[in-house]
Amino acid sequence: MSSHEVSNKVDAEIGGNEATGTEDQQQVVVEKEKRQRATRAKKSPVWLFFEEVRVPSKKKKGEIEIKGKCMACQKLFAKTASGTTSHWMRHLTTCDRHKLNQKSKQQKIINFQTEEEEEAEGDVETPSVVNPDYCDNARIREIICKLIIVHDMPFRIVEYKWFNILMKALNRGYKKMSRNTIRNECMKLYESEKDILKKYFKNVRKISLTCDLWTSNQTICYMSLVAHYIDDDWKMHCRIINFIELEPPHSGVVISNAPYDCLAAWKIEDKVASITFDNAASNDLAVKFLLAKFKNRKALWFEGKFLHVRCCAHILNLVVQDGLKMIGHLTDKVRETIKYIKKSNNRFYKFQNDIDSLNIGRSKGMVLDCCTRWGSTFKMLDSAFHYRAAIDAYASGDANYRWQPSDEEWLLYEQVNSVLGVFHAATKAFSGSTYPTSNLFYPHIVNIKKIICGLKESKKECIAAMADAMAEKFDKYWGPECNTLFAIAAILDPRFKMDMIKFTFPSLYEENEVAGKLESVETTLRELYALYESENNKSMATSANNESTSQCTSTSASSSTTAFSITSQYQEYMKAKNAYQPLKSDLKRYLDDEIENIPDDKFDILSWWKMNELKYPLVAKIARDILTIPVTSVSSESAFSTGGRVVDDYRSSLLPSTVQCLVCTSSWIRGGHHKEKDMDDDANSIPLVLVEEDSLSDN
């Protein structure tokens, strides 16, 4: 019914009801005026930019009300009883999206592509037209999530005033969000990245693990579980796969259950090659329980002989700490000297003047050690040797200073410092997550053993006592199993092979033990090769059976009609006999070939095996699984450095599930198998390294 017909109908009703009374007449007049206003409102130009929508009423539950929705910004406005739309029109004067729409209608913005973009996307005949109002908010949220996770930023950054001003300046269509919204988006990103990594793990042959515990400022104990593996392109990777809260008591049973449950959740419990722990007694018990669980699943690699690996960095620390106890009275003088000089500004200023007058240089600095970090003791002694002349000069001008070392003690310091330098170099070589392979361990450990044996022959009692203490701890932790594992890793280094083992074993063992130790390593290597060879034969037999089954039908008809000839049988027999020649195994050919003469700084063992994988296919499989075994738990400890920044004093209320999301996703994004199109490659290839724990002030 048109508006004109409605008006006539109302007039007829009024004319027919004049006698019914004044009240009825007034009601009809009011209804007529409402219809007229509604008709006028529909003719208003505001309806070019608004549309009526039916939405649930917020005031009256269960009822539906009609509202006007802005076609530009999608905001809803109440529809008045009178039908006026003036408040809608006022909104159009302040709506930024409406203004942009109107501006884009007047003049389109042309985006001409560069030559590089044209080459990447193909020939472009016409320039593309870009809508300046377009904003992919889902993509922007994903990037903001990665920004927060990778750079340890607070969720509240999305509520900062100037952050939103920046985002609006970059794109007018950006929608502001709350910290709860971005947290939920981060959790979604965690789940999606986890699914990507799960799918990737299906194609990984063996995974080696590191595991360690850490207590946060909330007194919550976290367990970090890090996976190490070498991909098809012979690149080393490490990913934090779990960062979970570990409830007390932290016994061997609890510690064993937590990583096993994590492995089961990731469905990689059948791919575990080794797990590296520190030297706590509870960890030794945990390994026994893990060994039993893997045996029940029949998922042990090489019968579990190399399952438990002790953290070499912790063993080096224990060895050095035992040695330093024997010369504690010597290091105390250097320590007290540094404390005395740094305690007073006047004394420190005078000491710096002595440094300048002797033209030594201040760049090295006076370092004070920490009782739990032996590496700091090495740095303290090293700095003291550097400023020896300045310390002597200062002692001559300060009558209250009484810790000046004698010339004999300086000589003793020099001997001790050279020994600690060897340990420090070894620890530095081990303290990485993505570059060190297990073959690096053996040369360092042989060098340390030689240093300790040399110290035993010292005529000074304190040095000899220091060597005895170090040797006792060295022999306690590095038994035959560990030496066998890393001896095999050294054999898989094409610069060493078996000759390195034969050359170094006399330095590690007594003369009557060398032959037995060499035989043990060779036997273990042959057994390991036989295991891989049997697996390879099974896979080849399976593929051959499948192929023969498919050919069986086609050959059966012809064989039944072909005459059986003794001559043809004999010819086949002689052909097979002449063709049969026992071939050297991959292992035999690898060991017999000449060693590689490549300098250490230019040699990359993973690149070498990538180039020679086809030449020694079975030995390459062994190398891929052995070289990925981490010799330290540094990767797990570096996860705690990340955790310390995530759960700092200002963000201690984060839930353990949120902490796991941030720590794990940060690891996955930094070293992910996929790369962002709009980010530099360097941002995605940052290795996870061991750093000092320092809290950020983000809230």
Side-chain angles (χ1 to χ4, degrees):
M1 183 181 295
S2 65
S3 59
H4 183 68
E5 291 174 345
V6 170
S7 179
N8 292 338
K9 184 177 180 181
V10 172
D11 292 339
E13 291 177 354
I14 295 174
N17 295 330
E18 289 180 353
T20 60
T22 307
E23 294 181 359
D24 294 341
Q25 184 178 0
Q26 291 177 349
Q27 183 178 359
V28 173
V29 171
V30 170
E31 291 179 359
K32 179 180 178 181
E33 291 177 354
K34 287 182 179 180
R35 296 177 190 276
Q36 290 176 347
R37 281 196 296 269
T39 302
R40 288 196 301 271
K42 285 290 185 180
K43 295 179 180 179
S44 172
V46 77
W47 288 102
L48 297 174
F49 313 105
F50 283 84
E51 62 179 349
E52 284 187 352
V53 293
R54 300 170 65 85
V55 296
S57 176
K58 294 183 179 180
K59 296 181 179 179
K60 299 179 181 179
K61 294 184 178 180
E63 295 187 5
I64 301 296
E65 60 181 352
I66 300 176
K67 289 191 175 184
K69 182 174 74 172
C70 176
M71 296 180 184
C73 66
Q74 310 300 316
K75 288 186 177 180
L76 299 176
F77 295 89
K79 189 175 181 180
T80 62
S82 61
T84 58
T85 57
S86 56
H87 60 298
W88 296 1
M89 187 66 74
R90 286 194 298 270
H91 166 72
L92 294 178
T93 61
T94 59
C95 181
D96 294 334
R97 293 179 67 93
H98 170 70
K99 293 178 182 179
L100 286 173
N101 288 341
Q102 295 303 307
K103 186 176 180 180
S104 62
K105 290 179 180 179
Q106 296 175 3
Q107 179 180 2
K108 296 289 185 182
I109 296 178
I110 308 300
N111 180 27
F112 292 95
Q113 293 180 317
T114 62
E115 294 181 0
E116 291 79 3
E117 292 173 335
E118 291 181 358
E119 291 177 359
E121 299 182 8
D123 295 333
V124 181
E125 297 180 357
T126 58
S128 59
V129 180
V130 176
N131 183 0
D133 192 38
Y134 174 75
C135 179
D136 189 352
N137 279 287
R139 176 63 176 157
I140 290 176
R141 286 187 179 188
E142 180 185 352
I143 295 175
I144 293 176
C145 287
K146 294 182 178 181
L147 170 70
I148 290 173
I149 291 172
V150 173
H151 297 291
D152 305 317
M153 292 184 173
F155 294 134
R156 190 169 291 181
I157 189 175
V158 296
E159 297 179 348
Y160 291 169
K161 176 181 177 181
W162 284 100
F163 177 83
N164 285 280
I165 290 175
L166 171 65
M167 298 304 296
K168 278 286 186 181
L170 295 174
N171 197 313
R172 290 282 188 176
Y174 170 74
K175 290 184 178 180
K176 182 180 177 181
M177 67 192 85
S178 67
R179 61 181 181 273
N180 292 328
T181 301
I182 201 64
R183 177 196 173 277
N184 294 334
E185 292 294 328
C186 287
M187 297 300 291
K188 292 179 182 178
L189 180 63
Y190 164 74
E191 295 296 338
S192 63
E193 292 289 331
K194 185 176 181 179
D195 291 339
I196 293 174
L197 193 57
K198 269 188 177 180
K199 293 178 182 177
Y200 192 86
F201 279 161
K202 293 180 180 179
N203 300 321
V204 176
R205 175 182 167 80
K206 291 297 177 185
I207 297 174
S208 295
L209 306 170
T210 60
C211 186
D212 208 349
L213 303 181
W214 171 71
T215 302
S216 71
N217 56 4
Q218 303 167 266
T219 66
I220 296 177
C221 182
Y222 288 93
M223 171 178 281
S224 171
L225 191 66
V226 182
H228 297 251
Y229 58 95
I230 297 176
D231 63 14
D232 294 336
D233 198 34
W234 287 89
K235 299 293 184 183
M236 177 78 80
H237 296 274
C238 83
R239 301 286 182 272
I240 304 173
I241 58 176
N242 280 97
F243 196 86
I244 59 173
E245 179 184 1
L246 191 67
E247 297 181 355
H250 303 147
S251 60
V253 177
V254 175
I255 294 176
S256 66
N257 288 336
Y260 188 82
D261 293 342
C262 294
L263 296 174
W266 281 86
K267 298 181 180 180
I268 57 174
E269 62 269 36
D270 295 339
K271 296 177 179 287
V272 176
S274 69
I275 182 165
T276 304
F277 283 105
D278 61 22
N279 301 297
S282 57
N283 290 336
D284 293 341
L285 187 59
V287 171
K288 292 182 180 179
F289 288 113
L290 281 172
L291 192 61
K293 290 180 184 231
F294 286 128
K295 280 184 178 179
N296 292 334
R297 282 189 58 90
K298 297 181 180 180
L300 273 176
W301 174 65
F302 198 44
E303 299 179 355
K305 291 182 179 179
F306 302 145
L307 179 64
H308 184 202
V309 178
R310 298 182 184 275
C311 176
C312 296
H314 284 86
I315 295 176
L316 288 178
N317 187 14
L318 294 174
V319 170
V320 177
Q321 291 288 3
D322 283 7
L324 291 177
K325 288 178 183 178
M326 300 300 172
I327 58 169
H329 62 286
L330 301 177
T331 57
D332 286 343
K333 281 192 174 182
V334 174
R335 187 179 297 110
E336 292 300 327
T337 296
I338 297 174
K339 287 182 180 179
Y340 178 79
I341 292 175
K342 285 191 169 184
K343 193 172 183 180
S344 169
N345 289 334
N346 292 333
R347 291 195 290 262
F348 188 64
Y349 179 74
K350 183 178 180 300
F351 181 72
Q352 287 182 326
N353 289 337
D354 292 335
I355 291 175
D356 295 339
S357 63
L358 295 170
N359 197 23
I360 298 176
R362 301 184 184 181
S363 58
K364 200 171 189 65
M366 294 289 285
V367 180
L368 189 64
D369 68 340
C370 174
C371 61
T372 59
R373 295 176 181 266
W374 72 265
S376 60
T377 304
F378 163 74
K379 293 179 181 178
M380 181 184 72
L381 294 175
D382 188 48
S383 64
F385 296 149
H386 182 74
Y387 294 115
R388 172 182 174 178
I391 292 175
D392 292 340
Y394 179 84
S396 62
D398 189 346
N400 296 323
Y401 173 66
R402 58 181 184 277
W403 297 282
Q404 182 185 7
S406 62
D407 292 340
E408 183 180 354
E409 287 174 330
W410 279 124
L411 181 60
L412 185 61
Y413 287 151
E414 187 175 0
Q415 293 177 358
V416 173
N417 200 47
S418 62
V419 174
L420 294 180
V422 176
F423 283 89
H424 184 72
T427 304
K428 188 176 180 181
F430 300 156
S431 298
S433 300
T434 56
Y435 69 86
T437 47
S438 55
N439 65 302
L440 297 177
F441 171 80
Y442 189 78
H444 284 284
I445 213 62
V446 172
N447 194 22
I448 289 173
K449 181 68 173 180
K450 287 185 176 181
I451 290 290
I452 294 175
C453 292
L455 289 178
K456 285 184 177 182
E457 300 176 358
S458 176
K459 296 180 180 180
K460 296 182 179 180
E461 294 182 0
C462 59
I463 296 294
M466 176 181 178
D468 290 337
M470 288 182 170
E472 182 180 357
K473 190 69 71 174
F474 183 96
D475 296 334
K476 175 183 177 180
Y477 284 108
W478 280 319
E481 292 80 8
C482 183
N483 286 337
T484 301
L485 169 61
F486 294 113
I488 291 176
I491 293 172
L492 294 173
D493 190 326
R495 300 169 300 167
F496 303 149
K497 298 187 178 180
M498 202 67 197
D499 293 334
M500 169 65 88
I501 308 303
K502 294 177 180 178
F503 174 74
T504 56
F505 264 33
S507 302
L508 294 175
Y509 303 106
E510 298 294 336
E511 185 176 355
N512 58 346
E513 296 179 351
V514 172
K517 297 296 183 182
L518 284 173
E519 179 62 26
S520 175
V521 171
E522 292 176 349
T523 301
T524 304
L525 183 59
R526 287 195 297 268
E527 291 175 354
L528 187 61
Y529 181 81
L531 173 66
Y532 281 73
E533 191 175 31
S534 63
E535 292 178 355
N536 184 65
N537 292 337
K538 287 180 182 178
S539 62
M540 292 179 64
T542 303
S543 60
N545 289 336
N546 294 335
E547 184 178 355
S548 62
T549 302
S550 62
Q551 295 177 354
C552 180
T553 305
S554 60
T555 59
S556 58
S558 60
S559 62
S560 60
T561 56
T562 303
F564 190 77
S565 173
I566 191 64
T567 304
S568 61
Q569 274 192 348
Y570 173 74
Q571 291 174 349
E572 291 294 332
Y573 166 75
M574 292 302 297
K575 182 179 178 181
K577 181 179 178 180
N578 294 332
Y580 176 74
Q581 293 179 354
L583 300 176
K584 285 185 178 181
S585 66
D586 283 358
L587 181 61
K588 181 66 173 174
R589 288 189 293 107
Y590 169 74
L591 295 176
D592 289 345
D593 288 347
E594 294 183 0
I595 63 172
E596 297 287 344
N597 188 14
I598 305 174
D600 292 349
D601 57 344
K602 297 181 179 179
F603 180 70
D604 183 356
I605 189 170
L606 297 183
S607 298
W608 189 92
W609 276 109
K610 179 181 178 181
M611 295 174 60
N612 292 272
E613 185 176 10
L614 297 178
K615 187 177 181 181
Y616 315 109
L618 286 182
V619 182
K621 289 183 178 180
I622 299 175
R624 189 193 299 272
D625 296 341
I626 291 289
L627 296 177
T628 193
I629 296 177
V631 297
T632 69
S633 59
V634 167
S635 55
S636 295
E637 294 178 4
S638 60
F640 301 146
S641 298
T642 304
R645 294 192 298 271
V646 171
V647 193
D648 60 14
D649 293 336
Y650 294 92
R651 305 166 71 184
S652 57
S653 61
L654 290 177
L655 296 175
S657 59
T658 306
V659 174
Q660 175 172 245
C661 162
L662 296 175
V663 173
C664 292
T665 313
S666 176
S667 171
W668 303 340
I669 295 175
R670 287 174 183 269
H673 297 285
H674 56 281
K675 293 190 176 182
E676 296 293 336
K677 294 180 180 179
D678 53 347
M679 294 185 180
D680 295 333
D681 290 347
D682 293 341
N684 296 294
S685 59
I686 302 173
L688 198 60
V689 296
L690 182 62
V691 295
E692 298 289 339
E693 291 187 12
D694 55 339
S695 300
L696 302 179
S697 58
D698 290 342
N699 186 12

